[in-house]
Amino acid sequence: MAAQFGRLRKGAVNTTVAAVVVAALAASQAPGVTTDDAGRKVTTGTQPSPDTPAENSATGNSPYYTDLPPLNSPNPSPTTGTPVTQGTSEAGIPATVLDAYKKAATALQESKPGCNLPWELLAAIGKVESGQARGGRVDANGNTLSKILGPQLNGNGFASISDTDGGAYDGDSSYDRAVGPMQFIPSTWEWAGRDGNGDGKKDPNNVYDAALAAGHYLCRFGWDLSTKGDLDSAILSYNNSQDYLNLVLRWLEYYRKGTHEIPDGTGTLPSDRSDDSAGASPTPTTPGTPTAPSSPSTPKPGGSDGGSTSPKPTPPPSTTPPATPAPTPTDTVHHLEDAGTAKLSAMAGDAFTEKITARAETKAGKAVPKVRIRFAIIGATDAAFSTGEKYATTLTNSVGEAVAPALEAGENTGEFVVRATVVGRTLSGLDYTATVTERAADTLARTGEEALTCTPGGEFADQVEVKATYKGAVADKVAATATLIKSADDATENDKGPYFKDADGKTVRTLTGLTTDANGLLKLPKLYADDTTGTFLLRINTAGGATLTVELKVAAADTSPSPTPSEPASGTDSASPSPSA
């Protein structure tokens, strides 16, 4: 049977002339938002608007869970329920659900960075809307194990929203219902829906799709959620209720103080709802006559139907033991095995050629498909996955193998660890050691062919420039040294002959801290000569072993005159034939 629960019943709407005007504006804008003279949306307040049509909200202003965070959370709002003591398990969020919130927030950081959407806000709304997908009852793909449906929005104690989807999402062809872990009504999902898990579908019953859609919904008006006014307006646009706003803010603050991952399906089921129904009930309650909104903590005579002044009878405890849910693939995983990952090594700034592959297995060694494996980079390193993240989650394939995205080395050299764990389980992780080596070159060559000559006490006209490559490719940012050496067989620094100058103009014959540029080029400073003549050697070395020796000549200028061409002798050449008589 599909899991369903009711949502907040709304009182009659004031229909004064002024309210009609406000409603006309609200039909195209969220609560608390108007436009300035330039047509830009601006926040005008954080109070809910009683004239905002329910169909303009994400949920149709449906009921929500009113359970409060534990007492060590911030002081409770006077309009939101009565605090109850709860265990520390409330801070835990089911693994797949938590992963969906974080992925959605990361995606919004890239597409709408000015929104400043915290993943904890998605967690707070997910807690209030569905109890984190009913305690994390989702499969490895993020699909809820049973549908989460709100009540029929037929105007009987709730908003009246006639069917907009032909029952495609909510199974109801008469009226709309809120659907999925983030409780979107079908008409809103039609434009707000997103594909958060990359399967080509936009499914409101998938926590990855729903979380990403909720993020875009909250950021849709260019709101900056790091500001109080915009944050309140965004939350009120999700469900137009001051009680709802206060409650979401409570959970937001609670999750910001710290949370942790718990196995899927082990989350705490909510117990209280804003329509005074039992939160954990898998079946819908029957809405009664609408009543004026009141604090969830205020008892209502006669229960939810308002037809009797006697208190609700407490049902006797069930004597039927609850059915044991069938184990999910994740439940059957006993351990992770390496699936033939080769040695992980890369040069700084390069991508690792090998990818990490882990296999999920049962205790008997049987492969387990469709299980989420999380890969996390651990240690003081600036390496990351090709996604730019320090973590990645991948689904195991038909042979139980999950392949992590390619690793990309940063500039920090040394070792770091990539740990693979099963999402939703507390099994020991599988560690992979990766090594980042310094940038290197295996070949150096001069970019010019001109001879490098100089007169004693002068300066060389041309500067030495070389190009570094590694396996035929440009070797950029490679460390190098340049030393004027004594001879080809003696690489110690020479004490005479050509030299460089430091910043103070002093003689220097060894240069360190050199680096090739983005094109692999290295141009040395200008060279000078002392009074010693002869042939000298400059040796350049790079990380990785590339070496080049350059010949330098210092010789006095040639002052001998240039030979002049000989002139023919004057008079008649004796060999010339005599003129004829």
Side-chain angles (χ1 to χ4, degrees), residues 94-129:
T96 300
V97 180
L98 178 61
D99 187 53
Y101 296 150
K102 290 186 175 181
K103 283 186 180 300
T106 299
L108 266 297
Q109 287 172 7
E110 296 177 0
S111 62
K112 298 180 179 180
C115 180
N116 294 307
L117 171 74
W119 67 260
E120 293 91 344
L121 176 58
L122 296 177
I125 291 176
K127 178 67 176 180
V128 172
E129 291 296 338

mmCIF file of all heavy atoms in Angstrom, residues 94-129:
data_model
loop_
_atom_site.group_PDB
_atom_site.id
_atom_site.type_symbol
_atom_site.label_atom_id
_atom_site.label_comp_id
_atom_site.label_asym_id
_atom_site.label_seq_id
_atom_site.Cartn_x
_atom_site.Cartn_y
_atom_site.Cartn_z
ATOM 1 N N PRO A 94 19.610 9.539 6.925
ATOM 2 C CA PRO A 94 19.897 8.344 6.117
ATOM 3 C C PRO A 94 20.874 8.649 4.992
ATOM 4 O O PRO A 94 20.791 9.700 4.341
ATOM 5 C CB PRO A 94 18.514 7.941 5.600
ATOM 6 C CG PRO A 94 17.569 8.425 6.654
ATOM 7 C CD PRO A 94 18.160 9.728 7.124
ATOM 8 N N ALA A 95 21.780 7.711 4.759
ATOM 9 C CA ALA A 95 22.935 7.962 3.887
ATOM 10 C C ALA A 95 22.559 8.430 2.487
ATOM 11 O O ALA A 95 23.105 9.411 1.982
ATOM 12 C CB ALA A 95 23.781 6.694 3.807
ATOM 13 N N THR A 96 21.665 7.728 1.817
ATOM 14 C CA THR A 96 21.313 8.104 0.452
ATOM 15 C C THR A 96 20.601 9.449 0.416
ATOM 16 O O THR A 96 20.827 10.269 -0.473
ATOM 17 C CB THR A 96 20.439 7.021 -0.192
ATOM 18 O OG1 THR A 96 21.175 5.786 -0.216
ATOM 19 C CG2 THR A 96 20.056 7.383 -1.615
ATOM 20 N N VAL A 97 19.761 9.706 1.396
ATOM 21 C CA VAL A 97 19.050 10.987 1.471
ATOM 22 C C VAL A 97 20.045 12.121 1.699
ATOM 23 O O VAL A 97 19.981 13.169 1.046
ATOM 24 C CB VAL A 97 17.992 10.953 2.591
ATOM 25 C CG1 VAL A 97 17.255 12.279 2.676
ATOM 26 C CG2 VAL A 97 17.004 9.817 2.351
ATOM 27 N N LEU A 98 20.986 11.913 2.613
ATOM 28 C CA LEU A 98 22.008 12.926 2.877
ATOM 29 C C LEU A 98 22.850 13.180 1.639
ATOM 30 O O LEU A 98 23.171 14.321 1.302
ATOM 31 C CB LEU A 98 22.896 12.464 4.046
ATOM 32 C CG LEU A 98 24.053 13.385 4.444
ATOM 33 C CD1 LEU A 98 23.538 14.751 4.878
ATOM 34 C CD2 LEU A 98 24.881 12.755 5.556
ATOM 35 N N ASP A 99 23.187 12.115 0.932
ATOM 36 C CA ASP A 99 23.968 12.245 -0.301
ATOM 37 C C ASP A 99 23.203 13.081 -1.331
ATOM 38 O O ASP A 99 23.790 13.917 -2.022
ATOM 39 C CB ASP A 99 24.271 10.852 -0.860
ATOM 40 C CG ASP A 99 25.215 10.897 -2.051
ATOM 41 O OD1 ASP A 99 26.292 11.504 -1.924
ATOM 42 O OD2 ASP A 99 24.881 10.319 -3.101
ATOM 43 N N ALA A 100 21.902 12.869 -1.417
ATOM 44 C CA ALA A 100 21.090 13.623 -2.370
ATOM 45 C C ALA A 100 21.078 15.112 -2.039
ATOM 46 O O ALA A 100 21.197 15.957 -2.928
ATOM 47 C CB ALA A 100 19.663 13.077 -2.381
ATOM 48 N N TYR A 101 20.958 15.444 -0.750
ATOM 49 C CA TYR A 101 20.958 16.855 -0.352
ATOM 50 C C TYR A 101 22.289 17.519 -0.711
ATOM 51 O O TYR A 101 22.327 18.632 -1.237
ATOM 52 C CB TYR A 101 20.717 16.991 1.146
ATOM 53 C CG TYR A 101 19.365 16.512 1.631
ATOM 54 C CD1 TYR A 101 19.207 15.990 2.914
ATOM 55 C CD2 TYR A 101 18.240 16.576 0.818
ATOM 56 C CE1 TYR A 101 17.972 15.560 3.373
ATOM 57 C CE2 TYR A 101 17.002 16.146 1.261
ATOM 58 C CZ TYR A 101 16.874 15.631 2.544
ATOM 59 O OH TYR A 101 15.655 15.195 2.994
ATOM 60 N N LYS A 102 23.375 16.834 -0.416
ATOM 61 C CA LYS A 102 24.694 17.430 -0.656
ATOM 62 C C LYS A 102 24.972 17.574 -2.147
ATOM 63 O O LYS A 102 25.542 18.581 -2.594
ATOM 64 C CB LYS A 102 25.779 16.587 0.021
ATOM 65 C CG LYS A 102 25.741 16.686 1.542
ATOM 66 C CD LYS A 102 26.915 15.971 2.185
ATOM 67 C CE LYS A 102 26.925 16.177 3.705
ATOM 68 N NZ LYS A 102 28.071 15.505 4.349
ATOM 69 N N LYS A 103 24.574 16.580 -2.932
ATOM 70 C CA LYS A 103 24.773 16.689 -4.382
ATOM 71 C C LYS A 103 23.955 17.837 -4.963
ATOM 72 O O LYS A 103 24.433 18.570 -5.838
ATOM 73 C CB LYS A 103 24.403 15.367 -5.059
ATOM 74 C CG LYS A 103 25.439 14.267 -4.933
ATOM 75 C CD LYS A 103 25.052 13.067 -5.759
ATOM 76 C CE LYS A 103 26.095 11.947 -5.638
ATOM 77 N NZ LYS A 103 27.420 12.360 -6.081
ATOM 78 N N ALA A 104 22.737 17.990 -4.486
ATOM 79 C CA ALA A 104 21.891 19.069 -4.986
ATOM 80 C C ALA A 104 22.498 20.435 -4.645
ATOM 81 O O ALA A 104 22.549 21.328 -5.491
ATOM 82 C CB ALA A 104 20.488 18.949 -4.396
ATOM 83 N N ALA A 105 22.968 20.592 -3.413
ATOM 84 C CA ALA A 105 23.559 21.868 -3.004
ATOM 85 C C ALA A 105 24.821 22.164 -3.806
ATOM 86 O O ALA A 105 25.073 23.308 -4.200
ATOM 87 C CB ALA A 105 23.873 21.846 -1.507
ATOM 88 N N THR A 106 25.622 21.135 -4.074
ATOM 89 C CA THR A 106 26.830 21.317 -4.891
ATOM 90 C C THR A 106 26.473 21.762 -6.298
ATOM 91 O O THR A 106 27.111 22.650 -6.867
ATOM 92 C CB THR A 106 27.638 20.014 -4.938
ATOM 93 O OG1 THR A 106 28.047 19.660 -3.609
ATOM 94 C CG2 THR A 106 28.869 20.172 -5.817
ATOM 95 N N ALA A 107 25.447 21.142 -6.871
ATOM 96 C CA ALA A 107 25.014 21.526 -8.214
ATOM 97 C C ALA A 107 24.536 22.977 -8.241
ATOM 98 O O ALA A 107 24.825 23.716 -9.191
ATOM 99 C CB ALA A 107 23.899 20.593 -8.685
ATOM 100 N N LEU A 108 23.825 23.409 -7.213
ATOM 101 C CA LEU A 108 23.351 24.797 -7.159
ATOM 102 C C LEU A 108 24.496 25.777 -6.950
ATOM 103 O O LEU A 108 24.440 26.917 -7.418
ATOM 104 C CB LEU A 108 22.310 24.952 -6.054
ATOM 105 C CG LEU A 108 20.828 24.822 -6.442
ATOM 106 C CD1 LEU A 108 20.425 25.913 -7.417
ATOM 107 C CD2 LEU A 108 20.529 23.460 -7.044
ATOM 108 N N GLN A 109 25.554 25.350 -6.268
ATOM 109 C CA GLN A 109 26.721 26.218 -6.102
ATOM 110 C C GLN A 109 27.338 26.547 -7.449
ATOM 111 O O GLN A 109 27.886 27.630 -7.655
ATOM 112 C CB GLN A 109 27.753 25.544 -5.196
ATOM 113 C CG GLN A 109 27.361 25.517 -3.725
ATOM 114 C CD GLN A 109 28.299 24.671 -2.893
ATOM 115 O OE1 GLN A 109 29.335 24.200 -3.389
ATOM 116 N NE2 GLN A 109 27.949 24.427 -1.655
ATOM 117 N N GLU A 110 27.239 25.613 -8.398
ATOM 118 C CA GLU A 110 27.805 25.829 -9.729
ATOM 119 C C GLU A 110 26.841 26.612 -10.623
ATOM 120 O O GLU A 110 27.244 27.543 -11.313
ATOM 121 C CB GLU A 110 28.148 24.486 -10.372
ATOM 122 C CG GLU A 110 29.232 23.710 -9.641
ATOM 123 C CD GLU A 110 29.500 22.355 -10.268
ATOM 124 O OE1 GLU A 110 28.830 22.034 -11.278
ATOM 125 O OE2 GLU A 110 30.368 21.622 -9.756
ATOM 126 N N SER A 111 25.560 26.225 -10.619
ATOM 127 C CA SER A 111 24.614 26.850 -11.538
ATOM 128 C C SER A 111 24.062 28.183 -11.023
ATOM 129 O O SER A 111 23.775 29.077 -11.815
ATOM 130 C CB SER A 111 23.450 25.893 -11.823
ATOM 131 O OG SER A 111 22.731 25.584 -10.639
ATOM 132 N N LYS A 112 23.900 28.317 -9.699
ATOM 133 C CA LYS A 112 23.365 29.545 -9.115
ATOM 134 C C LYS A 112 24.151 29.899 -7.861
ATOM 135 O O LYS A 112 23.638 29.857 -6.741
ATOM 136 C CB LYS A 112 21.884 29.368 -8.781
ATOM 137 C CG LYS A 112 21.012 29.094 -9.999
ATOM 138 C CD LYS A 112 19.542 28.934 -9.633
ATOM 139 C CE LYS A 112 18.695 28.675 -10.875
ATOM 140 N NZ LYS A 112 17.261 28.504 -10.559
ATOM 141 N N PRO A 113 25.438 30.264 -8.037
ATOM 142 C CA PRO A 113 26.290 30.506 -6.857
ATOM 143 C C PRO A 113 25.792 31.634 -5.972
ATOM 144 O O PRO A 113 26.028 31.636 -4.768
ATOM 145 C CB PRO A 113 27.661 30.840 -7.478
ATOM 146 C CG PRO A 113 27.354 31.297 -8.871
ATOM 147 C CD PRO A 113 26.163 30.484 -9.296
ATOM 148 N N GLY A 114 25.077 32.604 -6.542
ATOM 149 C CA GLY A 114 24.589 33.723 -5.745
ATOM 150 C C GLY A 114 23.468 33.349 -4.808
ATOM 151 O O GLY A 114 23.124 34.130 -3.916
ATOM 152 N N CYS A 115 22.891 32.157 -4.982
ATOM 153 C CA CYS A 115 21.791 31.737 -4.112
ATOM 154 C C CYS A 115 22.297 31.328 -2.735
ATOM 155 O O CYS A 115 21.595 31.475 -1.735
ATOM 156 C CB CYS A 115 21.038 30.576 -4.756
ATOM 157 S SG CYS A 115 19.659 29.964 -3.771
ATOM 158 N N ASN A 116 23.534 30.785 -2.680
ATOM 159 C CA ASN A 116 24.131 30.355 -1.399
ATOM 160 C C ASN A 116 23.225 29.370 -0.662
ATOM 161 O O ASN A 116 22.939 29.523 0.532
ATOM 162 C CB ASN A 116 24.432 31.570 -0.514
ATOM 163 C CG ASN A 116 25.518 32.455 -1.102
ATOM 164 O OD1 ASN A 116 26.600 31.977 -1.430
ATOM 165 N ND2 ASN A 116 25.235 33.725 -1.263
ATOM 166 N N LEU A 117 22.778 28.349 -1.395
ATOM 167 C CA LEU A 117 21.891 27.335 -0.821
ATOM 168 C C LEU A 117 22.685 26.372 0.047
ATOM 169 O O LEU A 117 23.563 25.678 -0.451
ATOM 170 C CB LEU A 117 21.186 26.570 -1.938
ATOM 171 C CG LEU A 117 20.385 25.347 -1.502
ATOM 172 C CD1 LEU A 117 19.088 25.778 -0.818
ATOM 173 C CD2 LEU A 117 20.090 24.438 -2.689
ATOM 174 N N PRO A 118 22.390 26.265 1.353
ATOM 175 C CA PRO A 118 23.071 25.269 2.186
ATOM 176 C C PRO A 118 22.323 23.927 2.093
ATOM 177 O O PRO A 118 21.083 23.901 2.051
ATOM 178 C CB PRO A 118 22.954 25.862 3.599
ATOM 179 C CG PRO A 118 21.682 26.659 3.566
ATOM 180 C CD PRO A 118 21.526 27.164 2.160
ATOM 181 N N TRP A 119 23.059 22.839 2.075
ATOM 182 C CA TRP A 119 22.392 21.537 1.997
ATOM 183 C C TRP A 119 21.545 21.296 3.250
ATOM 184 O O TRP A 119 20.549 20.569 3.211
ATOM 185 C CB TRP A 119 23.404 20.415 1.790
ATOM 186 C CG TRP A 119 24.349 20.146 2.933
ATOM 187 C CD1 TRP A 119 25.635 20.568 3.053
ATOM 188 C CD2 TRP A 119 24.073 19.385 4.117
ATOM 189 N NE1 TRP A 119 26.173 20.140 4.237
ATOM 190 C CE2 TRP A 119 25.241 19.395 4.909
ATOM 191 C CE3 TRP A 119 22.959 18.700 4.584
ATOM 192 C CZ2 TRP A 119 25.318 18.748 6.147
ATOM 193 C CZ3 TRP A 119 23.024 18.054 5.813
ATOM 194 C CH2 TRP A 119 24.207 18.084 6.575
ATOM 195 N N GLU A 120 21.938 21.943 4.359
ATOM 196 C CA GLU A 120 21.166 21.766 5.594
ATOM 197 C C GLU A 120 19.733 22.291 5.456
ATOM 198 O O GLU A 120 18.829 21.820 6.149
ATOM 199 C CB GLU A 120 21.865 22.477 6.760
ATOM 200 C CG GLU A 120 23.196 21.861 7.168
ATOM 201 C CD GLU A 120 24.375 22.471 6.445
ATOM 202 O OE1 GLU A 120 24.159 23.151 5.406
ATOM 203 O OE2 GLU A 120 25.514 22.297 6.907
ATOM 204 N N LEU A 121 19.515 23.279 4.560
ATOM 205 C CA LEU A 121 18.153 23.760 4.342
ATOM 206 C C LEU A 121 17.321 22.687 3.656
ATOM 207 O O LEU A 121 16.155 22.466 4.007
ATOM 208 C CB LEU A 121 18.166 25.041 3.502
ATOM 209 C CG LEU A 121 16.794 25.604 3.122
ATOM 210 C CD1 LEU A 121 15.958 25.903 4.362
ATOM 211 C CD2 LEU A 121 16.949 26.858 2.266
ATOM 212 N N LEU A 122 17.902 21.997 2.683
ATOM 213 C CA LEU A 122 17.184 20.897 2.040
ATOM 214 C C LEU A 122 16.873 19.805 3.053
ATOM 215 O O LEU A 122 15.792 19.206 3.035
ATOM 216 C CB LEU A 122 18.019 20.332 0.889
ATOM 217 C CG LEU A 122 18.290 21.285 -0.280
ATOM 218 C CD1 LEU A 122 19.200 20.615 -1.303
ATOM 219 C CD2 LEU A 122 16.986 21.729 -0.934
ATOM 220 N N ALA A 123 17.835 19.551 3.955
ATOM 221 C CA ALA A 123 17.610 18.536 4.990
ATOM 222 C C ALA A 123 16.480 18.960 5.926
ATOM 223 O O ALA A 123 15.659 18.136 6.341
ATOM 224 C CB ALA A 123 18.900 18.303 5.777
ATOM 225 N N ALA A 124 16.429 20.247 6.271
ATOM 226 C CA ALA A 124 15.376 20.731 7.163
ATOM 227 C C ALA A 124 14.006 20.595 6.513
ATOM 228 O O ALA A 124 13.035 20.139 7.142
ATOM 229 C CB ALA A 124 15.647 22.190 7.538
ATOM 230 N N ILE A 125 13.907 20.965 5.243
ATOM 231 C CA ILE A 125 12.629 20.842 4.540
ATOM 232 C C ILE A 125 12.274 19.374 4.355
ATOM 233 O O ILE A 125 11.111 18.971 4.527
ATOM 234 C CB ILE A 125 12.692 21.581 3.189
ATOM 235 C CG1 ILE A 125 12.765 23.093 3.438
ATOM 236 C CG2 ILE A 125 11.501 21.237 2.313
ATOM 237 C CD1 ILE A 125 12.916 23.922 2.183
ATOM 238 N N GLY A 126 13.251 18.542 4.021
ATOM 239 C CA GLY A 126 12.995 17.116 3.866
ATOM 240 C C GLY A 126 12.526 16.471 5.156
ATOM 241 O O GLY A 126 11.705 15.548 5.147
ATOM 242 N N LYS A 127 13.038 16.970 6.289
ATOM 243 C CA LYS A 127 12.607 16.446 7.594
ATOM 244 C C LYS A 127 11.149 16.805 7.852
ATOM 245 O O LYS A 127 10.346 15.960 8.272
ATOM 246 C CB LYS A 127 13.495 17.028 8.690
ATOM 247 C CG LYS A 127 13.122 16.591 10.108
ATOM 248 C CD LYS A 127 13.362 15.114 10.328
ATOM 249 C CE LYS A 127 13.080 14.708 11.766
ATOM 250 N NZ LYS A 127 13.322 13.270 11.987
ATOM 251 N N VAL A 128 10.808 18.051 7.598
ATOM 252 C CA VAL A 128 9.460 18.525 7.875
ATOM 253 C C VAL A 128 8.451 17.952 6.873
ATOM 254 O O VAL A 128 7.316 17.637 7.239
ATOM 255 C CB VAL A 128 9.438 20.072 7.853
ATOM 256 C CG1 VAL A 128 8.028 20.608 7.932
ATOM 257 C CG2 VAL A 128 10.283 20.615 9.005
ATOM 258 N N GLU A 129 8.855 17.799 5.627
ATOM 259 C CA GLU A 129 7.927 17.332 4.596
ATOM 260 C C GLU A 129 7.665 15.832 4.661
ATOM 261 O O GLU A 129 6.542 15.382 4.472
ATOM 262 C CB GLU A 129 8.453 17.701 3.205
ATOM 263 C CG GLU A 129 8.427 19.181 2.905
ATOM 264 C CD GLU A 129 7.022 19.751 2.870
ATOM 265 O OE1 GLU A 129 6.073 18.967 2.663
ATOM 266 O OE2 GLU A 129 6.856 20.963 3.055
#
